[in-house]
Amino acid sequence: MSSDEEFSLVVEQPQPSEDTLEGIKALITNYKKKYEQLIQEQKELTTSRDDSRAMTDKCKQRCVKLTQDLKVDEHRYEEQMRNEKAKLNLMVQEEDELMKEIQKVEEALKEEEARHSHLKQQTDVFTAVPEKKVVFTGETGNGAGAQTFEMKPHIVYPMEGGTALITFEEQVVARKILDMQKHQVDLGAECTITVEARPVQLMLPRLVEIDTEVNPQQILISNLPEMETETLLNKLEIHFSKSKHGGGEVDRCELLPDSGTVVLTFVRNDIARGLTDKEHHDVELSQKKRHRVRVTPFLNGKITNLQTKMSVCPRTVLLTGIPAIMEQETLQDLLEIHFQKSGNGGGEIEAFLYNPLGQHTSALFEGVSTDREEE
């Protein structure tokens, strides 16, 4: 170590003994410093606690405000949705009303178009028939060449299995059978069956309305002589297919057997009108012999109104509950014999039709009488 090197000595002062007065004072001084330090730390903690509480209160207030704002927004949204729904419902109602108005207008337009079409058809019918001025000076009577129109009922009646239809010659017998209702039929060999008599109800037309229109491609030929059908059709087709007779190419020619007239159809639709305007035509139907026929417009008809009524057949009875216990012909004969006997309430039978179980049969009613009706 150099002699000129500087150094210092730190001599630790000895701590006074706690048993001495100076030692006690030193301890008191240390405790005061620690106390003041603790007091300072407590103040800092209190300040920090107060700051935290204040921040917590602010957060709570903010949370409450946000909750209130959220509820207000929800109420506004709900009110807005209700308003929008009300507007939507109003628009839907307006749309429905507009659609109804459109439908009414379309229906009215269809009615006007149908009325216009109907009037046009009537005009075509009236203008297509040749106009003839006549003066009536005699008495009325049935014309020799007049054609009549008659509509007869033609009804198909489906029969269930195990039933039979009996048509008696007299109405009183049918009524008696219906009044008795239950009938025991002896089939022999101590075997009997019980059948039930029921009225036969048929649906008949009460009112039929038909709209007609002139077919521009067809003509109706009447006032025809009696001759072989095929020859007649060939002669008519040949005559009216020639342009010198006012005709044209023929599509088909057919006879209407119920009226004895012929319907002739042309390929073009501008031929028929000229022939109907002339009305009477001399046609060579046999060698060197002509016959005058009448040509009129052919009318197509469409049913526009059909009203029906229920009619009870006055002489026909329906038997039900007939078991299939023997041959069809044998059972039918035994039933017919039973209901022919006056002792069983029966009488003379005009027609008898039996349909066994498991089979399908239809009865045809023509010229049905409507003496008894049920509306």
Side-chain angles (χ1 to χ4, degrees):
M1 179 179 296
S2 175
S3 60
D4 58 355
E5 183 178 358
E6 294 181 0
F7 67 92
S8 65
L9 291 175
V10 179
V11 179
E12 183 178 356
Q13 296 294 330
Q15 295 291 332
S17 175
E18 295 180 358
D19 294 336
T20 64
L21 179 60
E22 292 178 356
I24 293 172
K25 288 181 178 180
L27 287 174
I28 291 173
T29 301
N30 290 333
Y31 281 127
K32 282 183 177 181
K33 290 180 179 179
K34 290 180 179 180
Y35 175 74
E36 290 175 355
Q37 187 177 359
L38 289 172
I39 291 298
Q40 183 63 31
E41 291 178 355
Q42 184 179 9
K43 287 181 179 179
E44 293 176 356
L45 290 173
T46 301
T47 302
S48 178
R49 183 199 64 187
D50 293 341
D51 292 341
S52 298
R53 285 181 178 177
M55 186 175 293
T56 301
D57 291 339
K58 289 181 180 179
C59 289
K60 286 183 178 179
Q61 292 175 1
R62 187 177 179 185
C63 182
V64 171
K65 187 175 183 305
L66 290 174
T67 302
Q68 292 175 350
D69 293 341
L70 181 61
K71 289 183 178 179
V72 171
D73 291 340
E74 288 179 353
H75 289 313
R76 288 178 180 175
Y77 176 74
E78 290 176 355
E79 185 177 359
Q80 185 178 1
M81 288 299 296
R82 286 195 295 269
N83 293 335
E84 293 297 330
K85 286 183 178 179
K87 291 180 181 178
L88 180 60
N89 292 333
L90 182 61
M91 293 177 65
V92 171
Q93 291 178 359
E94 292 178 353
E95 184 180 3
D96 292 340
E97 292 177 357
L98 288 175
M99 290 300 297
K100 290 179 180 178
E101 290 295 329
I102 291 174
Q103 290 178 357
K104 289 181 180 179
V105 172
E106 289 179 349
E107 291 175 358
L109 182 60
K110 289 181 180 179
E111 290 179 359
E112 290 298 328
E113 289 178 350
R115 188 178 294 108
H116 174 73
S117 177
H118 179 68
L119 292 175
K120 185 176 182 301
Q121 292 173 6
Q122 288 184 340
T123 302
D124 291 341
V125 171
F126 293 140
T127 57
V129 177
E131 182 180 355
K132 298 293 182 181
K133 295 182 179 180
V134 296
V135 178
F136 178 74
T137 58
E139 298 179 354
T140 60
N142 295 327
Q147 297 180 1
T148 60
F149 176 80
E150 182 179 0
M151 184 177 67
K152 296 181 179 180
H154 185 91
I155 302 172
V156 177
Y157 183 84
M159 297 179 61
E160 297 180 356
T163 61
L165 289 172
I166 305 179
T167 301
F168 295 97
E169 292 184 356
E170 298 180 359
Q171 297 183 20
V172 64
V173 177
R175 293 197 184 108
K176 188 184 300 183
I177 294 296
L178 289 173
D179 292 339
M180 295 174 64
Q181 194 173 6
K182 299 287 186 179
H183 298 267
Q184 288 190 349
V185 181
D186 185 7
L187 301 181
E190 298 181 355
C191 177
T192 60
I193 60 173
T194 300
V195 297
E196 182 178 354
R198 298 179 182 178
V200 177
Q201 295 185 347
L202 302 177
M203 183 177 292
L204 299 177
R206 178 201 299 271
L207 172 66
V208 180
E209 293 182 359
I210 301 176
D211 276 349
T212 59
E213 62 178 356
V214 175
N215 191 314
Q217 291 181 263
Q218 293 180 318
I219 59 174
L220 184 67
I221 307 174
S222 59
N223 192 29
L224 297 171
E226 294 184 2
M227 58 185 301
E228 199 269 329
T229 301
E230 186 175 355
T231 303
L232 174 64
L233 296 179
N234 290 334
K235 293 291 185 180
L236 291 173
E237 183 174 350
I238 292 172
H239 177 87
F240 287 103
S241 64
K242 295 179 180 180
S243 58
K244 67 178 182 179
H245 297 148
E249 183 179 355
V250 176
D251 182 26
R252 63 181 181 274
C253 184
E254 53 188 337
L255 176 68
L256 301 180
D258 56 342
S259 61
T261 57
V262 171
V263 177
L264 195 144
T265 305
F266 295 99
V267 175
R268 293 162 49 188
N269 59 4
D270 57 349
I271 303 296
R273 182 63 182 266
L275 296 174
T276 56
D277 286 344
K278 185 178 179 182
E279 188 176 2
H280 296 288
H281 297 260
D282 293 328
V283 181
E284 187 176 343
L285 297 179
S286 60
Q287 292 183 353
K288 298 181 180 180
K289 185 177 181 180
R290 292 182 173 272
H291 182 83
R292 175 160 290 190
V293 299
R294 184 187 180 200
V295 177
T296 55
F298 185 80
L299 304 180
N300 289 330
K302 181 176 67 175
I303 296 178
T304 58
N305 185 17
L306 175 62
Q307 298 180 11
T308 60
K309 61 182 177 181
M310 295 303 298
S311 176
V312 178
C313 292
R315 297 188 296 116
T316 303
V317 175
L318 175 67
L319 300 179
T320 62
I322 304 174
I325 58 176
M326 59 179 60
E327 294 293 331
Q328 177 179 351
E329 294 183 0
T330 304
L331 184 55
Q332 178 171 331
D333 291 340
L334 292 174
L335 289 170
E336 189 169 357
I337 291 172
H338 175 86
F339 286 99
Q340 277 182 335
K341 296 179 179 180
S342 59
N344 298 326
E348 292 298 325
I349 295 176
E350 183 177 305
F352 191 98
L353 179 61
Y354 166 54
N355 182 36
L357 288 170
Q359 296 187 16
H360 299 281
T361 303
S362 295
L364 178 62
F365 287 84
E366 292 184 334
V368 180
S369 173
T370 58
D371 293 341
R372 295 172 60 191
E373 296 179 359
E374 291 186 0
E375 299 294 336

